[in-house]
């Protein structure tokens, strides 16, 4: 009933920038927090950034000062602007959303992921 789709991944040189977006669709009443996670081969999935429905954001220490997350509630979309990228940022990036949807249900949904590759 709810789908999340990420876009904007790709190849970039170290020190460069890349912007990601994620849009939720379906029988949505409201969205609470939205977030970004990433997973590199052989590593666990880790939190990158999270943003509340009021716009307050939290960041992992390894991206603070380089990445910025924002959201457009009217579009059910969350963004991740990534600057000063490092090779260790290479990973599949996933968005998620805490959603109140049809029938009064609440659950966290995940997108399919988008690949970000940073060359050295």
């Amino acid at each position: 009933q709810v789908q999340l789709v990420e876009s904007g991944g790709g190849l970039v040189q170290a020190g460069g920038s890349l912007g990601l977006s994620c849009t939720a669709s379906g029988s949505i009443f409201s969205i609470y927090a939205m977030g970004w996670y990433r997973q590199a081969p052989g590593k666990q999935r880790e939190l990158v950034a999270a943003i509340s429905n009021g716009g307050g954001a939290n960041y992992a220490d390894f991206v603070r000062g380089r990445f910025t997350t924002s959201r457009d509630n009217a579009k059910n979309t969350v963004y991740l602007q990534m600057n000063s990228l490092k090779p260790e940022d290479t990973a599949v990036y996933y968005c998620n959303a805490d959603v109140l949807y049809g029938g009064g249900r609440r659950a966290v949904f995940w997108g399919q992921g988008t690949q970000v590759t940073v060359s050295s």
Side-chain angles (χ1 to χ4, degrees), residues 90-101:
T90 295
V92 177
Y93 283 70
Y94 300 88
C95 68
N96 72 0
D98 182 0
V99 181
L100 180 65
Y101 66 104

Side-chain angles (χ1 to χ4, degrees), residues 1-12:
Q1 295 188 25
V2 178
Q3 302 82 40
L4 275 67
V5 178
E6 303 99 333
S7 63
L11 301 171
V12 65

